[in-house]
């Protein structure tokens, strides 16, 4: 699997559409991405991980959030009412023949709280419905999500591995992910989300409306907090 291009649109700290050409030149075989803290280096790697694996990605599994709330959290604060998307173009060789892939994962708020995610796979510029439906198994044969963290990491992860105390926790998470043990924590989160929604349905219409208004206020405050955190990081840098 060789990456050719990554396009990020309104994801995390990235406002609007940002394209990254990942195809190296013959005399320049290495692509180096450098930027100040808070500029989006880690978000770049997270985008690759997430567009490939979705709810099975390492970045999602590392968060104590439901999948829907995770999608909401990663919509850019300045374009919260617009579509968020990640597109990855890559190629691989199968039986000596080059195959070009384009995968696209996008989502947008539908109404006040609902989110609908769409995912597409194109092979040699042609939409492939079968691979799209079976993408989880297809990509698992190329690069399993459990070992993807060994390939997608930045300087901060290297620094953590160099720290003996911090590396223990990093290796622990990697082993748990490899063995599938993190599913227990994920099931607990999904169960809590199910209980919350079930309890909401038992409320009266007026109570549900009040809860939705308060929840919306909380989301707005959370976005403001995240924006201020990003400003603090840039000022400190």
């Amino acid at each position: 699997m060789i990456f050719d291009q990554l396009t990020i649109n309104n994801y995390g700290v990235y406002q609007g559409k940002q394209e990254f050409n990942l195809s190296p030149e013959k005399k320049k075989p290495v692509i180096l991405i450098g930027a100040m803290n808070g500029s989006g280096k880690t978000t770049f790697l997270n985008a690759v991980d997430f567009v490939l694996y979705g709810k099975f990605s390492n970045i999602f599994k590392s968060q104590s959030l439901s999948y829907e709330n995770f999608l909401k959290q990663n919509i850019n604060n300045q374009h919260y009412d617009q579509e968020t998307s990640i597109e990855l173009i890559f190629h691989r060789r199968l039986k000596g023949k080059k195959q070009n892939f384009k995968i696209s994962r996008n989502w947008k708020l539908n109404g006040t709280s609902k989110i609908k995610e769409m995912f597409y796979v194109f092979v040699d510029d042609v939409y492939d419905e079968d691979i799209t439906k079976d993408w989880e198994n297809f990509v698992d044969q190329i690069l399993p999500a459990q070992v993807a963290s060994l390939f997608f990491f930045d300087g901060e992860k290297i620094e953590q591995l160099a720290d003996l105390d911090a590396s223990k926790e990093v290796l622990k998470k990697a082993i748990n992910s490899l063995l599938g043990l993190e599913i227990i924590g994920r099931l607990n989160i999904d169960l809590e989300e199910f209980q919350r929604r079930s309890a909401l349905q038992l409320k009266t219409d007026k109570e549900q409306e009040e809860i939705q208004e308060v929840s919306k206020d909380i989301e707005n405050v959370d976005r403001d907090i995240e924006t201020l955190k990003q400003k603090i990081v840039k000022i400190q840098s």
Side-chain angles (χ1 to χ4, degrees):
M1 179 187 291
I2 307 297
F3 297 155
D4 297 309
Q5 180 176 301
L6 178 69
T7 302
I8 302 175
N9 181 43
N10 294 330
Y11 176 77
V13 298
Y14 291 94
Q15 297 184 31
K17 181 178 290 187
Q18 310 294 330
E19 294 184 356
F20 299 88
N21 182 7
L22 304 178
S23 299
E25 301 176 10
K26 289 184 178 180
K27 295 184 179 182
K28 299 178 180 179
V30 176
I31 294 178
L32 180 64
I33 298 176
M36 302 290 288
N37 290 338
S39 299
K41 299 188 300 298
T42 301
T43 304
F44 175 92
L45 290 175
N46 291 343
V48 175
D49 180 45
F50 184 61
V51 71
L52 283 171
Y53 304 107
K55 61 180 61 178
F56 296 99
S57 63
N58 295 286
I59 179 58
F60 169 60
K61 291 179 180 179
S62 66
Q63 306 292 317
S64 298
L65 296 169
S66 67
Y67 191 63
E68 185 174 354
N69 288 334
F70 176 82
L71 293 176
K72 289 181 182 179
Q73 179 178 285
N74 284 282
I75 299 176
N76 183 267
N77 295 331
Q78 305 300 321
H79 301 276
Y80 203 66
D81 58 338
Q82 299 181 23
E83 183 180 78
T84 299
S85 62
I86 307 172
E87 180 184 283
L88 179 65
I89 298 177
F90 67 90
H91 69 271
R92 70 162 187 165
R93 290 197 171 274
L94 181 63
K95 297 180 180 180
K97 183 179 178 181
K98 181 180 177 181
Q99 285 185 315
N100 297 301
F101 289 83
K102 180 174 72 173
I103 60 175
S104 175
R105 192 179 298 275
N106 55 76
W107 62 96
K108 183 180 180 181
L109 275 173
N110 184 14
T112 57
S113 59
K114 297 290 185 179
I115 279 191
K116 184 177 181 180
E117 182 193 44
M118 304 296 291
F119 180 75
Y120 306 96
V121 178
F122 296 84
V123 181
D124 294 328
D125 294 327
V126 178
Y127 172 66
D128 195 310
E129 184 178 0
D130 293 333
I131 293 181
T132 298
K133 292 180 178 179
D134 194 43
W135 176 252
E136 295 168 2
N137 294 322
F138 184 85
V139 72
D140 196 58
Q141 297 175 14
I142 303 175
L143 180 63
Q146 291 87 343
V147 298
S149 59
L150 301 177
F151 296 87
F152 306 145
F153 57 86
D154 55 11
E156 294 177 359
K157 179 63 70 68
I158 295 175
E159 185 178 358
Q160 290 177 349
L161 292 173
D163 187 329
L164 294 179
D165 293 330
S167 63
K168 295 178 183 178
E169 186 64 26
V170 173
L171 293 175
K172 177 183 176 181
K173 290 182 179 179
I175 292 174
N176 286 342
S177 176
L178 186 62
L179 298 177
L181 299 179
E182 82 287 344
I183 194 173
I184 298 175
R186 179 57 48 198
L187 288 174
N188 285 333
I189 295 172
D190 292 341
L191 180 59
E192 291 176 358
E193 181 69 13
F194 175 76
Q195 290 176 332
R196 185 189 67 80
R197 292 186 179 184
S198 298
L200 182 61
Q201 292 177 354
L202 297 176
K203 303 292 184 181
T204 64
D205 292 341
K206 183 178 180 180
E207 289 174 332
Q208 288 187 22
E209 184 177 348
E210 291 176 351
I211 292 173
Q212 289 178 353
E213 289 179 357
V214 173
S215 298
K216 188 175 181 180
D217 291 338
I218 292 174
E219 290 179 0
N220 291 333
V221 172
D222 287 339
R223 289 199 301 271
D224 291 340
I225 291 174
E226 186 62 29
T227 300
L228 291 174
K229 285 182 178 179
Q230 294 175 9
K231 288 183 178 179
I232 290 173
V233 170
K234 291 181 179 180
I235 292 173
Q236 287 177 338
S237 298

